[in-house]
Amino acid sequence: MVAVPKSLKPRRRVGKVLLRAARCGPAPRSALTLLEVLLALAIMTAVAAFALPMIDGMLVNRRLVRGAEVVRVHMMNARLEAMRSGRTHLMRCPVAGTEITTYVFRDLSDLTEAADQLGSGTALLQGGQPMAAPLPTGSTEPPRAVELPEGITIGECRVESTTRSMIIENQTMELSTPEDNGQPIMFYPDGTTSNAAVTVRQGQQGEAGRIVVVLRGLTGEATVGEELP
């Protein structure tokens, strides 16, 4: 037999190593390359530049809706407080202002309306004696102010005047300030109110949108309208 040189014998160990390497594939990398990092940053910057204006517009619209809701809730609270206390409440919404102010007006007619709601008004008409002292006219309570959301102002406040509202307005001239550049909204103890429409806006000229809050005098119901351009 011819002896085979050791150099020509198959190296089984080397073959096994090569086979294992072929099965496992290339060794995984432990880090990203600089080019991959720069590409990912560029994609993230492009997505952010596209999404930020949309998010900002959604936030602006949300603030505008919240400002209109603040006006509506404050109207309903003033009406309920007028009915509960038996006193006329006045609400002022100055144009370009950022807050709503409510005053309490006490008049002799409010005592009669409040007493009638309690059932004692009929007794007075039949010759009974009043059980309470007359209320003084004017207001001795400090006004209550509510701030609108940031960036929201009053664009317009339209109030329908009546004989009843003009009498009260003339008696409360001392309650007004130089910033009160419009008619007050009246909330009476019998549950009725002034017919009014308050516009809230985003921006100085309402360029970012506006919403009108309508107050119906007969029912005292306040509703928020749709957003207007």
Side-chain angles (χ1 to χ4, degrees):
M1 294 181 64
V2 180
V4 179
K6 293 182 178 182
S7 59
L8 298 179
K9 289 183 178 182
R11 299 183 178 181
R12 297 179 178 179
R13 183 176 300 176
V14 176
K16 290 181 179 180
V17 172
L18 294 177
L19 182 60
R20 187 181 299 118
R23 290 178 178 177
C24 297
R29 294 178 300 175
S30 59
L32 298 175
T33 63
L34 179 60
L35 180 60
E36 291 173 338
V37 173
L38 293 178
L39 181 60
L41 290 177
I43 295 175
M44 293 173 61
T45 303
V47 172
F50 179 76
L52 283 179
M54 300 177 59
I55 296 176
D56 185 65
M58 293 173 60
L59 292 177
V60 169
N61 294 340
R62 185 60 184 170
R63 284 196 299 267
L64 186 61
V65 173
R66 191 166 70 250
E69 191 65 21
V70 168
V71 175
R72 187 192 70 83
V73 171
H74 198 52
M75 286 179 173
M76 301 309 298
N77 289 339
R79 176 174 177 266
L80 293 176
E81 185 64 23
M83 296 173 62
R84 185 192 67 81
S85 62
R87 301 173 184 174
T88 301
H89 283 55
L90 289 74
M91 177 184 294
R92 292 189 180 274
C93 305
V95 177
T98 59
E99 66 177 18
I100 304 170
T101 308
T102 303
Y103 303 88
V104 179
F105 176 72
R106 298 193 294 182
D107 192 10
L108 294 178
S109 61
D110 294 341
L111 176 63
T112 304
E113 293 180 1
D116 189 64
Q117 292 178 0
L118 295 175
S120 59
T122 305
L124 293 176
L125 295 177
Q126 295 176 353
Q129 296 297 324
M131 301 300 295
L135 293 173
T137 59
S139 177
T140 59
E141 299 181 11
R144 289 173 294 179
V146 175
E147 287 283 343
L148 296 176
E150 183 180 359
I152 305 299
T153 59
I154 300 296
E156 187 180 13
C157 181
R158 294 176 294 170
V159 183
E160 181 179 342
S161 297
T162 62
T163 304
R164 186 182 186 184
S165 64
M166 287 189 294
I167 293 175
I168 297 178
E169 187 175 357
N170 292 332
Q171 295 177 353
T172 58
M173 293 297 295
E174 70 278 1
L175 299 179
S176 61
T177 62
E179 291 78 14
D180 297 334
N181 48 17
Q183 291 179 294
I185 304 174
M186 304 291 179
F187 298 87
Y188 303 109
D190 59 0
T192 60
T193 66
S194 300
N195 289 314
V198 179
T199 303
V200 294
R201 66 188 181 186
Q202 171 76 19
Q204 294 298 325
Q205 302 297 329
E207 59 274 5
R210 54 195 177 92
I211 297 179
V212 180
V213 182
V214 178
L215 178 65
R216 301 184 183 277
L218 185 60
T219 61
E221 180 182 3
T223 56
V224 177
E226 299 292 335
E227 182 178 352
L228 302 175

